[in-house]
């Protein structure tokens, strides 16, 4: 039985209003100052709800029910991407070059809805809740790391996170036990040569041919160093060199990303990038300066908690609701929270083929079907109830 159904239905108009405001006024990672104030404005007068600004941006709110019980955290990210918007929605971003193209506006609005629903039902709710409105999921080192370091997860028994998913139609969620997202790192290589006139390359140390060969060599790290049964990705995403047609530049810069599922492969690839870059540079009398930035760790959904979330979704919306996902190579700093407590991260279907809402996240034309909001909130809240019971059962067994 969904004890929150009526409250969720009544808050949906506000959820849409919040989401559209956030979409219209997006802010990039670590710059979400107005977004933070807007979130506070929506929760500051709710009975029983307290809040604090643990970091420069973002909000952590708390609520205790009238009955004792475990503490469950619910997390939403609040930042937007630095990119133009071409979605065509009437509430298009009013800030050129910044867009909520990953659905973080929907995550924030749904979590605001969950706060309101739980505050309204406080007398019938057990345990405590931590509502994490987290900054900077899109940009390393991410906002979750600082919150964890500052103790936001202290005393939390389990955590839930959700993400908009245009690849699934409204009425479905995607989830899996175990690995969900990968270690996501970045690298950079600067080849230092000696430039000069394009008509006399023999008088120069041209970094461009070295960089071009290096791009090809880097692609062989995964295919020749990583076992075929294991998953890894190395992608070169940037190559910068030169300023004029007849000038050989001094430097060429390569940048890219690495995705893995083990620390062993993560380190192996980092070491090989350094070794190969230096070897190619040495062969042509140049130098290579490498940087490797460790980003988010892989996200591993706790199996028993994932099964409880799946059970909640099936009970609410039927056995065809849940789609078992394959492990993805994307990155997600929700993984930081899972180092402190068990939990589950899942994807809420927000696509609609008939309306043309099929563009992926990070697309300038990204759009979502707001009919998914009640599903996301209901699954989040009912899963939280099941998580509380699971925590109790586990503690009894101990």
């Amino acid at each position: 039985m969904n004890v929150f159904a009526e409250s969720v239905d009544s808050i949906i108009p506000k959820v849409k209003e919040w989401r559209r405001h956030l979409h219209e006024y997006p802010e990039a990672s670590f710059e979400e100052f107005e977004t933070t104030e807007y979130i506070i404005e929506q929760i500051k007068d709710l009975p029983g709800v307290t809040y604090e600004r643990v970091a420069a941006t973002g909000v952590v709110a708390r609520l205790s029910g009238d009955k004792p019980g475990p503490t469950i955290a619910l997390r939403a990210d609040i930042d937007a991407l630095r990119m133009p918007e071409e979605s065509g929605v009437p509430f298009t971003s009013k800030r050129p070059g910044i867009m909520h193209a990953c659905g973080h506006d929907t995550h924030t609005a749904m979590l605001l809805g969950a706060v309101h629903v739980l505050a309204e039902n406080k007398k019938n709710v057990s345990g405590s809740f931590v509502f994490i409105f987290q900054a900077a999921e899109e940009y390393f080192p991410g906002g979750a790391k600082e919150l964890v370091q500052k103790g936001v997860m202290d005393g939390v028994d389990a955590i839930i996170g959700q993400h908009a998913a245009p690849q699934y139609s409204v009425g479905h969620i995607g989830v899996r036990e175990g690995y969900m997202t990968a270690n996501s790192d970045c690298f950079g290589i600067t080849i230092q040569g000696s430039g000069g006139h394009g008509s006399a390359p023999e008088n120069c140390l041209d970094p461009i041919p070295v960089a071009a060969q290096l791009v090809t060599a880097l692609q062989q790290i995964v295919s020749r160093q990583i076992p075929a049964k294991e998953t890894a990705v190395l992608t070169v995403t940037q190559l910068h060199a030169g300023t004029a047609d007849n000038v050989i530049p001094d430097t060429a810069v390569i940048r890219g990303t690495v995705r893995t599922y083990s620390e062993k492969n993560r380190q192996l690839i980092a070491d090989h990038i350094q070794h190969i870059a230096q070897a190619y540079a040495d062969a042509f009398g140049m130098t290579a300066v490498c940087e490797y930035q460790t980003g988010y760790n892989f996200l591993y959904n706790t199996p028993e908690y994932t099964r409880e979330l799946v059970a909640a979704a099936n009970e609410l919306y039927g056995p065809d609701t849940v789609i078992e996902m394959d492990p993805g190579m994307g990155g997600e700093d929700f993984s930081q929270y899972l180092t402190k407590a068990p939990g589950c991260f899942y994807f809420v279907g927000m696509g609609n083929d008939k309306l043309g809402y099929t563009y992926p996240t990070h697309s300038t034309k990204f759009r979502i079907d707001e009919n998914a909001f009640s599903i996301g909130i209901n699954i989040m809240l009912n899963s939280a109830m099941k998580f509380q019971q699971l925590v109790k059962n586990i503690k009894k067994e101990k």
Side-chain angles (χ1 to χ4, degrees):
M1 179 181 177
N2 182 8
V3 297
F4 302 110
E6 186 175 338
S7 296
V8 171
D9 287 344
S10 66
I11 200 65
I12 291 302
K14 292 295 294 183
V15 174
K16 292 180 180 179
E17 176 187 321
W18 295 326
R19 181 258 166 163
R20 294 181 182 193
H21 173 89
L22 293 167
H23 192 93
E24 202 167 3
Y25 299 98
E27 294 178 295
S29 302
F30 296 111
E31 298 176 5
E32 312 95 331
F33 296 100
E34 290 182 22
T35 300
T36 298
E37 293 299 332
Y38 184 78
I39 293 168
I40 291 173
E41 190 65 27
Q42 312 315 313
I43 63 175
K44 67 179 184 179
D45 295 325
L46 290 176
V49 175
T50 62
Y51 67 87
E52 60 179 330
R53 297 179 65 159
V54 178
T57 55
V59 184
V60 177
R62 301 176 189 274
L63 170 71
S64 294
D66 285 1
K67 304 174 185 178
T71 299
I72 307 299
L74 307 174
R75 177 268 203 170
D77 35 20
I78 68 174
D79 55 326
L81 288 155
R82 292 190 178 279
M83 57 185 288
E85 178 162 8
E86 301 173 326
S87 67
V89 296
F91 44 91
T92 293
S93 171
K94 290 186 175 180
R95 292 177 171 152
I98 305 178
M99 177 191 176
H100 268 297
C102 200
H104 295 191
D105 52 340
T106 70
H107 308 165
T108 303
M110 287 190 291
L111 186 54
L112 282 172
V115 178
H116 278 251
V117 169
L118 287 172
E120 180 183 335
N121 291 274
K122 184 176 180 293
K123 292 182 178 180
N124 301 315
V125 169
S126 300
S128 299
F129 296 86
V130 180
F131 309 99
I132 303 172
F133 295 90
Q134 177 211 307
E137 186 276 332
E138 295 286 2
Y139 191 77
F140 289 166
K145 186 175 183 179
E146 180 181 3
L147 297 185
V148 170
Q149 290 174 341
K150 290 185 174 179
V152 167
M153 291 294 290
D154 293 354
V156 171
D157 293 297
I159 186 167
I160 299 171
Q162 59 181 8
H163 199 292
Q167 68 269 35
Y168 302 131
S169 59
V170 173
H172 296 282
I173 68 166
V175 71
R176 67 173 288 109
E177 297 178 22
Y179 292 110
M180 278 282 286
T181 66
N183 298 320
S184 54
D185 304 332
C186 292
F187 68 90
I189 304 168
T190 300
I191 305 298
Q192 181 67 53
S194 179
H197 203 289
S199 66
E202 71 277 10
N203 297 325
C204 308
L205 293 175
D206 188 350
I208 293 180
V210 176
Q213 294 177 61
L214 188 52
V215 169
T216 301
L218 291 172
Q219 304 302 318
Q220 297 176 21
I221 295 176
V222 171
S223 65
R224 290 297 173 266
Q225 301 297 328
I226 304 299
K229 64 182 180 180
E230 299 179 26
T231 302
V233 173
L234 185 156
T235 301
V236 173
T237 57
Q238 300 181 55
L239 177 54
H240 303 283
T243 57
D245 294 345
N246 60 349
V247 176
I248 292 174
D250 290 323
T251 61
V253 178
I254 297 168
R255 300 200 65 84
T257 187
V258 174
R259 308 298 169 106
T260 57
Y261 273 113
S262 73
E263 286 301 316
K264 176 184 176 182
N265 287 339
R266 187 183 222 175
Q267 189 60 54
L268 184 150
I269 292 175
D271 291 344
H272 273 75
I273 290 173
Q274 173 73 47
H275 174 74
I276 292 171
Q278 193 61 58
Y280 270 76
D282 287 345
F284 293 93
M286 303 180 209
T287 60
V289 177
C290 297
E291 56 176 298
Y292 192 94
Q293 183 179 16
T294 299
Y296 305 152
N297 294 331
F298 64 76
L299 190 160
Y300 187 89
N301 275 339
T302 314
E304 58 266 43
Y305 286 85
T306 305
R307 289 192 287 270
E308 290 299 319
L309 188 139
V310 168
N314 286 338
E315 290 169 10
L316 288 169
Y317 299 108
D320 297 326
T321 303
V322 180
I323 298 171
E324 184 175 357
M325 303 178 67
D326 293 326
M329 301 307 288
E332 171 56 66
D333 72 345
F334 185 82
S335 58
Q336 286 284 342
Y337 303 113
L338 292 173
T339 66
K340 295 296 183 180
C344 181
F345 186 83
Y346 65 103
F347 289 79
V348 182
M350 294 191 180
N352 189 316
D353 291 343
K354 292 181 179 179
L355 296 177
Y357 298 173
T358 58
Y359 293 99
T361 55
H362 293 219
S363 165
T364 59
K365 298 180 180 180
F366 174 73
R367 299 180 71 167
I368 60 94
D369 188 338
E370 293 177 336
N371 288 313
F373 291 167
S374 62
I375 297 171
I377 298 172
N378 276 317
I379 291 176
M380 181 164 45
L381 293 177
N382 283 271
S383 296
M385 301 302 106
K386 285 186 173 292
F387 280 21
Q388 286 184 329
Q389 187 58 52
L390 179 58
V391 170
K392 292 177 183 178
N393 294 341
I394 292 173
K395 288 182 177 180
K396 281 182 181 179
E397 292 175 3
K398 291 182 178 180

